[in-house]
Amino acid sequence: MAEKSAYEPFEAAGDPKHTARATRSAGRKMRSRLLDAASPLFRERGLSGASITDIAAAANAFPSQITYYFRTKEALFVECACRDLLYLARATEQAALRARTPREYTHALAETVTASDSVAFFAEALTLTRRRQDLAPLVERTIERLHAEGARAYAGQVASHGWRSLRAPDESSRRFWAVAIGVILEGYAMGRSPDELCAEMLRVLGEQAKCAGEAARLRLVDDRDSSTPADEES
């Protein structure tokens, strides 16, 4: 008898385990469809302006499916905002891959983040969780993942280019997103353009790292400065 391939499923199509997996797969697809449909409606109309009926119609689903998968419209809102922020973080990392200097890297990050309304959307979710503490764990997990992936991406760039970071990767990631949220919220309130938001982010962030050549020159200058008193004495 021929041996089974390592990639061949062990359960027949009618097996209960196979059926359970198919059900989970269908459930994930439906959740994704509902999130895809809800996100633009929430961005355009806000939480109160986007009804469950409208979201279900946009997803070609039933309103009962929203309550089945998310329980409440508020929970759907928060999950949309969290997912969109992580999508933005991924797009931000991709945009910065072409950077060759620390300055270009920071500019690419700031420009991508301020061109999107995902941070403002997420800030609305943060406000909502003040009144709905049952939704706070999702926000907490999103922030942890945001910082962890940001630190990983930044450390990778520093290592691949030989830059000298002025801060630890985790500190740089947390600082970047804290500045982004603060600058964007203030800027939205003031009616500032994406270009103005980007410029303000760059001003507040300042220098994040130095190129290998710059770091070497700084070390040479530091060495000369530290040796000056001894040279003068001799």
Side-chain angles (χ1 to χ4, degrees):
M1 180 185 292
E3 293 184 1
K4 281 189 176 183
S5 165
Y7 299 100
E8 184 179 343
F10 288 99
E11 297 84 16
D15 189 276
K17 292 182 180 178
H18 178 90
T19 304
R21 283 203 304 272
T23 301
R24 287 196 297 272
S25 176
R28 286 193 294 269
K29 290 178 181 177
M30 177 52 70
R31 281 179 60 88
S32 183
R33 275 173 53 189
L34 292 170
L35 288 164
D36 288 343
S39 180
L41 291 176
F42 282 140
R43 288 168 179 267
E44 179 186 351
R45 307 178 189 178
L47 175 62
S48 60
S51 70
I52 286 180
T53 302
D54 291 338
I55 295 169
N60 194 24
F62 296 104
S64 59
Q65 289 176 296
I66 292 177
T67 54
Y68 175 79
Y69 287 107
F70 299 97
R71 293 179 293 115
T72 65
K73 187 171 68 168
E74 289 79 9
L76 175 59
F77 183 93
V78 171
E79 189 158 342
C80 279
C82 289
R83 188 181 73 151
D84 284 9
L85 185 67
L86 292 176
Y87 282 170
L88 173 62
R90 185 185 307 167
T92 300
E93 291 175 15
Q94 291 297 314
L97 287 177
R98 295 184 295 274
R100 292 293 174 264
T101 67
R103 187 183 298 275
E104 288 179 3
Y105 179 76
T106 304
H107 189 277
L109 294 177
E111 187 175 45
T112 306
V113 166
T114 52
S116 169
D117 65 350
S118 293
V119 171
F121 187 17
F122 182 70
E124 291 184 61
L126 291 177
T127 303
L128 180 59
T129 57
R130 286 187 65 242
R131 300 186 298 274
R132 289 287 306 273
Q133 280 298 298
D134 58 306
L135 302 177
L138 176 58
V139 170
E140 183 178 0
R141 289 194 300 271
T142 299
I143 292 174
E144 288 175 356
R145 183 175 169 187
L146 185 75
H147 290 157
E149 294 188 359
R152 172 195 52 75
Y154 178 68
Q157 285 288 90
V158 168
S160 64
H161 291 290
W163 298 339
R164 184 176 69 85
S165 179
L166 302 183
R167 299 177 183 83
D170 180 67
E171 182 185 349
S172 291
S173 176
R174 290 178 177 274
R175 185 169 179 272
F176 174 83
W177 286 107
V179 169
I181 291 172
V183 166
I184 289 173
L185 285 183
E186 179 183 310
Y188 269 52
M190 303 291 186
R192 292 173 181 158
S193 68
D195 287 343
E196 291 173 318
L197 295 177
C198 181
E200 179 64 7
M201 270 199 72
L202 293 173
R203 185 190 69 80
V204 176
L205 285 169
E207 199 168 26
Q208 303 298 299
K210 293 190 178 294
C211 291
E214 292 177 318
R217 286 195 297 274
L218 282 174
R219 284 196 296 273
L220 288 172
V221 170
D222 290 342
D223 290 343
R224 285 198 300 270
D225 289 345
S226 61
S227 63
T228 300
D231 293 341
E232 289 177 352
E233 289 176 3
S234 62

